[in-house]
Amino acid sequence: MENTIMQNISKILLILISTLFLYGTSYASDDVSQKTHKILKPGFSFEGPFGVFDRSELRRGYQVYSEVCSSCHSIDQLSFRNLIQVGGPEFSEEETKRIASQYTISDRYDDYGELVERKRLLSDRFPSPFPNKKAAMSANNGSYPPDLSLIVKARAGGHNYIYSLLSGYEETIPEGLEVSDTLSYNPWYPGSAGIAMMQPLYDDLIEYSDGTPATIDQMAYDVTVFLSWVSEPELEARKKMGFVVISFLIIFVFLMYLSTRRLWKEVH
């Protein structure tokens, strides 16, 4: 009887340990590949159960988004105050207020019933670059630029796919493949028949505030880190809670084992 109990407890411990190591990687499946191009895996600091976001990368990634991506893509699910929270870019409150004040919103009426424009506050969300979907499509050759709030989770391959796509534009189109003049060739785009988004990143397109060379690969890497955080701002907190829960369960199982062994020690 005691041997059977110990075997069952060993199985439970094995399951808990396996869950611990799978916990931090389940969200980032990256086994997707095109016919001839495998998804690039540059290695991100937040990968794995012990991974965390690099604050410098997050800040640079925000700079890439604000100076390049925000002209077409929104991040509707993110509020300005999220930029302050632990686990994110961790801008100071004053920095974040300054960022928010660069945007306006009309959500109040004056005494005459006219909309009043005001500067955005920390509690407000990031604005969309277009007033509506039709305006967005009109400005982008009939294609609607998706919101980037959950883009990392919405694409097979996750952050590795986003990085591959942003850094993978090519001018030479393979022989036999027809790509419309209004599209761009990117071998990592599903089907590789052309993508509506023109190449967004070029070397030295921006000047990083921390002096980091703004190469295509660096900008693609940094903005991918930022968008990964936008998709899951509570990632680090979730991982910490996961370790707490797993540790509690391991201790609980161990105590149950000791209790069971004592209760059954006289049984033969």
Side-chain angles (χ1 to χ4, degrees):
M1 175 66 73
E2 184 176 340
N3 289 336
T4 302
I5 294 174
M6 290 185 64
Q7 289 177 358
N8 291 334
I9 291 177
S10 297
K11 290 179 181 179
I12 294 174
L13 286 173
L14 181 61
I15 293 173
L16 290 175
I17 293 173
S18 299
T19 302
L20 173 64
F21 284 98
L22 291 174
Y23 179 76
T25 57
S26 61
Y27 69 93
S29 175
D30 48 27
D31 59 348
V32 179
S33 63
Q34 303 300 331
K35 295 180 179 178
T36 58
H37 290 75
K38 290 186 177 180
I39 294 296
L40 301 178
K41 303 176 184 178
F44 291 90
S45 63
F46 58 84
E47 294 177 327
F50 303 99
V52 295
F53 288 110
D54 183 284
R55 302 301 181 260
S56 297
E57 293 170 357
L58 282 174
R59 288 176 175 234
R60 291 197 301 268
Y62 171 74
Q63 186 177 348
V64 176
Y65 168 76
S66 63
E67 295 186 21
V68 181
C69 308
S70 64
S71 61
C72 293
H73 297 276
S74 60
I75 43 174
D76 291 340
Q77 301 303 311
L78 192 72
S79 297
F80 289 100
R81 64 187 175 195
N82 293 128
L83 297 177
I84 303 174
Q85 72 181 55
V86 176
E90 297 183 4
F91 288 112
S92 67
E93 184 173 339
E94 289 304 315
E95 285 180 292
T96 310
K97 285 181 178 179
R98 178 180 56 79
I99 292 173
S101 67
Q102 296 173 0
Y103 302 91
T104 60
I105 184 174
S106 299
D107 62 350
R108 298 175 182 175
Y109 295 91
D110 60 16
D111 294 338
Y112 301 98
E114 299 291 334
L115 278 173
V116 178
E117 188 175 73
R118 64 171 177 83
K119 293 181 179 180
R120 295 199 177 227
L121 306 173
L122 294 179
S123 57
D124 292 317
R125 293 187 177 184
F126 278 80
S128 172
F130 303 103
N132 52 63
K133 186 174 182 178
K134 287 187 177 180
M137 294 177 66
S138 175
N140 289 275
N141 295 321
S143 297
Y144 181 67
D147 177 76
L148 300 182
S149 300
L150 298 173
I151 195 67
V152 171
K153 289 180 173 294
R155 296 294 182 266
H159 52 270
N160 287 318
Y161 167 74
I162 299 298
Y163 168 79
S164 301
L165 183 74
L166 292 176
S167 62
Y169 282 82
E170 296 181 4
E171 294 183 2
T172 304
I173 301 175
E175 191 174 339
L177 182 65
E178 295 185 5
V179 178
S180 170
D181 293 337
T182 60
L183 303 178
S184 298
Y185 173 65
N186 190 312
W188 280 275
Y189 186 70
S192 299
I195 180 173
M197 182 174 69
M198 306 298 287
Q199 181 173 341
L201 302 176
Y202 293 90
D203 289 335
D204 300 319
L205 178 63
I206 66 174
E207 183 177 349
Y208 276 132
S209 56
D210 64 0
T212 301
T215 63
I216 292 177
D217 288 344
Q218 184 66 58
M219 289 185 288
Y221 185 95
D222 291 335
V223 76
T224 297
V225 174
F226 176 71
L227 293 178
S228 297
W229 170 77
V230 171
S231 293
E232 193 169 7
E234 305 296 335
L235 174 65
E236 291 186 11
R238 178 175 67 82
K239 288 184 178 182
K240 290 179 182 178
M241 181 58 68
F243 282 116
V244 171
V245 173
I246 295 297
S247 298
F248 170 78
L249 291 176
I250 290 175
I251 294 173
F252 175 75
V253 170
F254 180 70
L255 293 176
M256 287 295 294
Y257 162 71
L258 294 179
S259 300
T260 303
R261 185 174 182 181
R262 181 168 183 173
L263 288 172
W264 289 86
K265 69 178 181 179
E266 302 297 335
V267 179
H268 299 285

